[in-house]
């Protein structure tokens, strides 16, 4: 049984949508409240490697894609959550399970304004310490990007 | 704070760590007990900039992320866009991409080896490896016209061809490089002084490496069997014969050993690709892509320092909606926090450098007359010389 079938069987009704982009790229839509239990299962139980998370500002909310790599057969499995509260986006941290997620959560906090609840060290990573609060460079309509 | 502790800063500018990274070492006597890392001195907002550029321009933009592994980011980026659109590039383009990728690995590893030699005070290794790195840089200039920033990667193929008449020169470089690698293998891996300075220093055990999600030679030195070139084959890596180098201890010595032995594999891949190129008809190296469809794509490349990850999303316009980039040092550098604990201050600089955080070099040459003890050429003279040479070439054309 390959990893994708294992994940489908274990997570079952937690998966809202599933897409197989091609033989090596898979996308799952899940609810933000499940992210801690799911990443614990992926990282501790089936030993996937956490690559990085992509935060995106969408019209209908803030999206985070958690990318995991299965180094045994070289596929990338991405888990998509959508936080609909754009005024005050919040999600649980996964950095106590995956140490390597600490920096990217700090980065998404300062660039997109997502509050990671329970993060041990939520302070500026790339921007300077006196960066004005509420000014998030990766939100739409900021700076040189898309308006 | 505990009053026995003292803070030793390494950075933001440090004579050995030339880039803007700040390591705050907490020490008790000679021992490092804790460390804080601060980055962001060189943040240029490239992900944001990419959203305002054309798909084709972004390849040039991401090439400027790093000066040393300048081809890794465009490599991963074109992989991502091709994954998005489902393009299948020509076999010829695959071989050319892999040749450039491996030449880059060779010169990057030689550069790191030189720096590592310099860090432990073994300047002979430094001078040697930077001297022989020129062989590789010359070939890159021969192929692409540039020592760095080769601009070879393009969505749907490559920008230049490696023609049949170019192949003997690249093969000659491979033949010259192998004895040099033998020399380094002997000089570094059998030297008792280097053993004393690097064995058992800055150990990153396998379980900790997994927690920090480290990649590349840093991971392979700790016994993590992973290499994107083999696991998720792209370009020509699945078409030629080579193997992944692994070590077990995770100390500085193993990190050096992995990099040195990897260079032999790179030469092997280049030779395999050149053999393949000889069989392919010339000219078919670009798909001439006009439009990028709606969708999202993920591209990866095993850069000299580890896995480079690019994620792109398109809404069928001329620019990416979102472009996420993860460079290998982003996950490798935090692992220093573990590796440096319990070590002495004198080893700290070497341990921090052992993951090969990116460096950039700008100065090229200064010629000195030893007897008269004066500089024969400064920057202006070099520019003049280069202009004269360009003029000569123009006339000859």
């Amino acid at each position: 049984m390959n990893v994708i079938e294992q994940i489908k069987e274990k997570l079952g009704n937690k998966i809202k949508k599933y897409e197989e982009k091609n033989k090596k790229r898979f996308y799952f839509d899940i609810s933000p409240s499940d992210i801690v239990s799911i990443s614990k299962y992926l990282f501790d139980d089936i030993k996937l490697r956490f690559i990085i998370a992509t935060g995106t500002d969408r019209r209908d909310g803030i999206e985070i894609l958690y990318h995991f790599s299965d180094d045994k057969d070289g596929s990338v499995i991405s888990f998509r959550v959508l936080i609909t509260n754009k005024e005050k986006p919040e999600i649980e941290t996964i950095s106590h399970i995956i140490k390597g997620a600490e920096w990217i959560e700090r980065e998404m906090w300062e660039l997109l304004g997502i509050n990671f609840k329970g993060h041990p060290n939520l302070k500026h990573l790339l921007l300077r310490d006196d960066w004005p609060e509420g000014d998030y460079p990766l939100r739409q309509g900021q700076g040189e990007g898309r308006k | 704070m505990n009053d026995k502790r003292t803070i030793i800063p390494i950075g933001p500018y440090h004579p050995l760590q030339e880039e803007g990274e700040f390591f705050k070492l907490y020490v008790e006597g000679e021992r490092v007990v804790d460390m804080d890392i601060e980055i962001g001195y060189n943040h240029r907002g490239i992900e944001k900039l990419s959203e305002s550029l054309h798909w084709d321009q972004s390849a040039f933009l991401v090439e400027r992320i790093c000066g040393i592994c300048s081809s890794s980011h465009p490599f991963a980026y074109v992989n991502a866009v091709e994954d998005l659109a489902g393009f299948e590039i020509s076999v010829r383009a695959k071989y050319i991409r892999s040749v450039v990728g491996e030449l880059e690995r060779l010169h990057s590893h030689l550069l790191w080896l030189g720096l590592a030699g310099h860090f432990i005070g073994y300047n002979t290794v430094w001078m040697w490896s930077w001297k022989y790195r020129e062989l590789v840089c010359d070939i890159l200039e021969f192929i692409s016209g540039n020592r760095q920033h080769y601009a070879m990667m393009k969505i749907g193929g490559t920008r230049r061809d490696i023609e049949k008449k170019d192949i003997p020169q690249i093969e000659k470089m491979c033949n010259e490089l192998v004895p040099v690698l033998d020399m380094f293998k002997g000089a570094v891996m059998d030297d008792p002084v280097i053993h004393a300075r690097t064995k058992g220093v800055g150990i990153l055990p396998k379980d900790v490496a997994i927690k920090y999600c480290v990649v590349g030679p840093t991971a392979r030195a700790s016994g993590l069997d992973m290499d994107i070139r083999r696991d998720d084959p792209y370009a020509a890596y699945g078409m030629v014969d080579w193997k992944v180098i692994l070590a077990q201890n995770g100390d500085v010595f193993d990190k050096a050993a992995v990099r040195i032995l990897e260079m032999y594999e790179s030469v092997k891949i280049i030779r395999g690709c050149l053999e393949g190129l000889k069989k392919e008809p010339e000219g078919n190296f670009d798909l001439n892509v006009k439009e990028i469809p709606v969708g999202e794509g993920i591209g990866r490349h095993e850069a000299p320092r580890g896995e480079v990850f690019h994620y792109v999303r398109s809404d069928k316009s001329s620019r990416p909606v979102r472009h996420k980039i993860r460079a290998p040092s982003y996950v490798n550098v935090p692992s220093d926090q573990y590796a440096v604990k319990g070590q002495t201050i004198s080893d700290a600089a070497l341990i921090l450098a052992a993951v090969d955080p990116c460096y950039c070099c700008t100065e090229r040459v200064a010629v000195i007359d030893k007897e008269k003890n004066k500089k024969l050429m400064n920057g202006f003279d070099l520019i003049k010389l280069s202009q004269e040479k360009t003029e000569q070439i123009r006339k000859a054309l």
Side-chain angles (χ1 to χ4, degrees):
Chain A
M1 191 158 70
N2 72 11
V3 173
I4 297 300
E5 280 162 15
Q6 264 182 47
I7 292 172
K8 275 187 187 165
E9 195 181 298
K10 168 83 186 173
L11 301 182
N13 53 6
K14 284 183 181 167
I15 300 166
K16 293 203 256 175
K17 200 182 135 204
Y18 162 70
E19 186 200 343
E20 184 180 331
K21 164 94 181 150
N22 54 44
K23 276 181 191 148
K24 300 260 180 181
R25 304 283 184 266
F26 305 93
Y27 296 87
F28 289 94
D29 282 20
I30 53 166
S31 135
S33 54
D34 290 333
I35 189 62
V36 176
S37 59
I38 289 178
S39 43
K40 198 169 169 55
Y41 168 68
L42 298 172
F43 193 74
D44 290 344
D45 296 350
I46 52 174
K47 310 280 178 208
L48 297 188
R49 180 169 58 83
F50 175 71
I51 306 175
I52 201 72
T54 306
T56 312
D57 183 15
R58 283 183 11 189
R59 247 165 240 233
D60 50 349
I62 304 231
E63 175 195 305
I64 307 176
L65 259 175
Y66 293 86
H67 306 283
F68 287 85
S69 169
D70 179 9
D71 289 331
K72 281 182 209 78
D73 69 8
S75 51
V76 179
I77 306 159
S78 305
F79 288 81
R80 192 191 312 271
V81 304
L82 182 68
I83 309 168
T84 44
N85 182 359
K86 268 183 105 162
E87 293 298 309
K88 212 171 162 242
E90 269 189 338
I91 191 166
E92 290 284 333
T93 179
I94 56 163
S95 62
H96 53 282
I97 302 163
I98 306 165
K99 184 84 181 159
E102 222 177 283
W103 275 21
I104 184 62
E105 288 190 344
R106 281 167 68 183
E107 190 185 315
M108 286 193 284
W109 169 73
E110 63 178 358
L111 298 181
L112 283 157
I114 307 164
N115 181 27
F116 288 91
K117 285 184 279 181
H119 192 287
N121 189 20
L122 206 56
K123 59 179 191 186
H124 282 294
L125 178 76
L126 301 170
L127 304 176
R128 56 175 201 264
D129 284 337
D130 57 351
W131 189 265
E133 212 172 303
D135 184 0
Y136 304 119
L138 273 185
R139 291 277 186 107
Q140 299 295 345
Q142 297 274 352
E144 293 295 309
R146 287 173 169 242
K147 295 283 188 288
Chain B
M1 201 180 79
N2 193 333
D3 56 353
K4 269 199 233 156
R5 288 187 177 183
T6 314
I7 294 173
I8 304 275
I10 295 188
Y13 176 76
H14 184 265
L16 285 178
Q17 314 261 352
E18 289 100 337
E19 265 185 332
E21 284 173 329
F22 183 43
F23 299 99
K24 199 196 246 175
L25 300 174
Y26 296 93
V27 296
E28 280 178 20
E30 279 284 302
R31 293 271 156 211
V32 180
V33 289
D34 204 356
M35 180 174 80
D36 275 343
I37 306 170
E38 279 176 30
I39 60 166
Y41 295 95
N42 200 16
H43 184 56
R44 290 162 290 173
I46 285 187
E47 286 179 21
K48 185 79 180 169
L49 274 175
S50 179
E51 291 173 16
S52 65
L53 293 177
H54 188 270
W55 289 101
D56 235 11
Q57 288 175 308
S58 283
F60 294 107
L61 174 74
V62 296
E63 186 143 19
R64 266 107 197 124
I65 290 173
C66 176
I68 295 306
C69 49
S70 64
S71 192
S72 319
H73 284 282
F75 207 149
Y77 169 72
V78 294
N79 280 345
V81 179
E82 282 153 14
D83 177 57
L84 186 160
F87 298 139
E88 184 63 33
I89 63 166
S90 70
V91 177
R92 189 166 188 84
K94 285 182 179 176
Y95 281 128
I96 298 172
R97 282 185 182 179
S98 286
V99 168
V100 173
E102 291 316 300
L103 284 170
E104 181 176 79
R105 189 180 322 278
L106 280 172
H107 94 74
S108 176
H109 280 356
L110 283 170
L111 180 110
W112 177 83
L113 188 63
L115 279 172
H118 180 50
F119 278 26
I120 57 173
Y122 195 168
N123 281 347
T124 316
V125 165
W126 175 34
M127 293 294 168
W128 272 352
S129 80
W130 284 31
K131 177 186 170 191
Y132 293 113
R133 179 174 164 258
E134 290 300 309
L135 289 175
V136 186
C137 287
D138 284 348
I139 283 296
L140 280 165
E141 188 173 2
F142 171 71
I143 293 173
S144 71
N146 270 329
R147 287 159 49 92
Q148 300 292 334
H149 301 296
Y150 336 110
M152 287 292 278
M153 303 303 164
K154 185 183 181 210
I155 297 165
T158 59
R159 274 177 217 282
R160 285 163 190 266
D161 199 358
I162 295 177
E163 291 171 359
K164 215 161 244 172
K165 65 175 167 41
D166 302 335
I167 290 174
Q169 186 132 356
I170 307 172
E171 278 173 340
K172 193 173 146 244
M173 188 274 311
C174 291
N175 294 340
E176 283 170 19
L177 200 65
V178 171
V180 172
L181 295 180
D182 289 338
M183 182 181 79
F184 281 123
K185 204 169 127 193
V188 174
M189 292 171 73
D190 301 334
D191 188 311
V193 179
I194 290 186
H195 280 219
R197 276 303 305 271
T198 58
K199 274 208 165 168
V201 171
I203 296 174
L204 187 71
K206 193 172 173 180
D207 56 324
V208 182
I210 292 172
K211 259 191 209 151
Y212 278 95
C213 310
V214 297
V215 291
T218 312
R220 289 194 285 278
S222 299
L224 279 177
D225 188 7
M226 56 161 286
D227 192 314
I228 303 303
R229 291 174 289 171
R230 179 200 59 194
D231 302 336
D232 186 8
Y234 55 95
Y237 292 115
M239 290 142 67
V240 293
D241 180 42
W242 64 284
K243 66 175 195 289
V244 174
I245 303 293
L246 268 186
Q248 297 305 328
N249 301 323
D251 53 8
V252 178
F253 180 81
D254 276 6
K255 284 172 190 157
V258 164
R259 289 196 176 95
I260 290 172
L261 297 175
E262 254 179 34
M263 288 196 272
Y264 286 99
E265 300 303 316
S266 292
V267 172
K268 222 154 110 186
I269 295 173
I270 293 172
R271 281 183 171 150
C273 289
L274 293 177
E275 287 307 315
L277 273 178
K278 283 178 193 166
K279 288 177 205 136
E280 288 296 315
E282 273 184 25
N284 178 24
F285 58 91
D286 185 14
L287 285 180
N288 204 2
V289 172
K290 293 272 191 273
E291 201 176 69
I292 308 294
V294 182
E296 50 192 341
I298 288 167
R300 301 195 282 174
H301 167 56
E302 184 75 23
R305 286 155 190 81
E307 173 203 42
V308 169
F309 175 91
H310 278 236
Y311 167 83
V312 287
R313 185 182 296 179
S314 161
D315 60 355
K316 216 189 170 184
S317 69
S318 59
R319 302 175 295 180
V321 182
R322 180 78 172 98
H323 185 182
K324 173 74 197 163
I325 301 160
R326 206 282 326 264
S329 294
Y330 195 87
V331 281
N332 285 345
V333 169
S335 75
D336 284 336
Q337 222 166 358
Y338 182 92
V340 86
K341 258 180 222 172
Q343 306 288 327
T344 60
I345 311 171
S346 54
D347 287 335
L350 177 65
I351 297 167
L352 299 177
V355 303
D356 196 4
C358 261
Y359 292 113
C360 194
C361 53
T362 47
E363 280 191 345
R364 288 277 291 274
V365 64
V367 185
I368 292 169
D369 188 339
K370 219 170 144 189
E371 278 160 27
K372 291 180 194 149
N373 196 20
K374 73 169 200 206
K375 272 191 183 176
L376 290 179
M377 279 186 172
N378 58 25
F380 289 109
D381 297 330
L382 281 171
I383 292 171
K384 216 172 128 199
L385 194 73
S386 142
Q387 283 168 344
E388 281 166 10
K389 177 88 183 174
T390 314
E391 202 51 44
Q392 277 174 18
I393 295 171
R394 194 174 292 152
K395 273 181 193 155
L397 288 172

